[in-house]
Amino acid sequence: MTTHHKRTTHEKSPQGRRREQPQSTRTHLSAAGLRARGWTPAMVRQLLGEPDLLRSNPHLRAAPQTRLYSMDRVVAAEQSEEFRAASAVAARRSAAARAAALRRRREVLARIAAEPIEVPRLPPDRLAALAVEHHNRRDEERASWRRGRTAQPAAVAGAEPGALDRWKVDYLSHRLTRPAEILDELYGRTGRAAAEELLRRRVHAAIARTYPDLAAECERRLRAKGKFGCGRGPGLG
């Protein structure tokens, strides 16, 4: 918060000892300081208008100047009927926005909970081949945008069992794009973490039911920390 302060003075106590008298009071408030007091940008424009001071950013010359408002003017405005009315309107709008966000969150969670998750049933050799192919494609993509990285193609025959299980779960998660598409309906970040966690648990539980030999890898992922990437394909893994 950007503020201006008056200097601290000192005086002697009745016993003759020197003591500090805190004379530090804010003389100006920045936009952040006003927000902390319940002001919205619209209220600032309506009730305060132009700032009383403009201060340049000492660390970044190209940054916009900080707008500072006189504390006396702020306090006087906060005691007015106009401020009380504007505050009431802002509070109602904020409460309505929170209620709408909560409603969207509940709707998306309900849809994720009800969405059928159908894991494709593939012969072991076919699943292994598709999983390695998917892994190699992703590795090539990463190598294309990471400087100094070289793709290292893998083969089913040379893959370690643990790595192959990971690649299989990655591939199967990638195939389940329909449930992940629901996450795109979550605007902003409201409820997204809860939705991602619910979807991840449902996806990995479905994979474990369809392929019991991958249950240990699915359980490991459920215990691990992390979130979906972009809510699509590999991010489910």
Side-chain angles (χ1 to χ4, degrees):
M1 182 186 303
T2 304
T3 57
H4 282 182
H5 299 276
K6 295 180 180 178
R7 285 188 286 180
T8 300
T9 60
H10 299 83
E11 68 176 26
K12 289 186 178 180
S13 67
Q15 293 76 22
R17 290 192 301 271
R18 196 182 186 199
R19 67 184 181 186
E20 186 176 286
Q21 288 288 358
Q23 298 291 328
S24 178
T25 57
R26 293 169 183 163
T27 61
H28 291 78
L29 286 172
S30 66
L34 291 171
R35 283 196 301 273
R37 296 171 68 95
W39 288 75
T40 66
M43 292 165 63
V44 173
R45 291 192 299 270
Q46 176 186 347
L47 301 178
L48 295 179
E50 293 301 314
D52 298 289
L53 289 176
L54 292 174
R55 173 183 286 180
S56 299
N57 190 316
H59 306 293
L60 187 61
R61 292 183 178 180
Q65 290 181 306
T66 301
R67 302 162 70 89
L68 299 172
Y69 299 84
S70 166
M71 191 67 176
D72 291 339
R73 279 212 302 140
V74 171
V75 172
E78 290 176 346
Q79 296 173 350
S80 67
E81 288 296 332
E82 291 84 353
F83 179 85
R84 283 188 282 273
S87 294
V89 171
R92 287 195 296 271
R93 288 176 177 172
S94 179
R98 288 195 299 270
L102 181 59
R103 183 174 62 254
R104 287 196 300 269
R105 176 181 183 274
R106 289 173 175 168
E107 290 172 353
V108 172
L109 287 176
R111 288 188 60 186
I112 291 176
E115 183 71 19
I117 298 179
E118 299 179 0
V119 180
R121 295 179 180 274
L122 301 170
D125 292 346
R126 180 60 176 164
L127 176 57
L130 290 173
V132 170
E133 180 183 332
H134 177 68
H135 166 75
N136 288 339
R137 184 165 56 252
R138 291 181 61 194
D139 194 44
E140 290 177 1
E141 291 173 355
R142 285 191 292 265
S144 67
W145 56 266
R146 288 186 183 177
R147 181 177 300 179
R149 181 185 176 91
T150 303
Q152 298 178 343
V156 175
E160 297 180 359
L164 192 54
D165 285 351
R166 291 195 299 273
W167 300 343
K168 289 177 180 178
V169 175
D170 283 342
Y171 169 73
L172 293 169
S173 298
H174 178 77
R175 289 283 300 269
L176 302 174
T177 57
R178 168 58 190 150
E181 289 174 353
I182 301 176
L183 290 177
D184 294 339
E185 300 177 21
L186 272 179
Y187 302 101
R189 297 183 178 180
T190 303
R192 190 174 182 88
E196 289 173 344
E197 180 62 19
L198 175 60
L199 180 55
R200 174 164 54 181
R201 290 189 174 278
R202 290 205 65 212
V203 164
H204 286 92
I207 292 174
R209 286 194 303 270
T210 307
Y211 297 94
D213 57 314
L214 297 178
E217 172 60 20
C218 291
E219 180 62 26
R220 183 191 69 80
R221 295 190 181 209
L222 290 177
R223 291 195 303 266
K225 293 182 179 180
K227 298 180 180 178
F228 296 162
C230 60
R232 295 293 185 94
L236 292 171

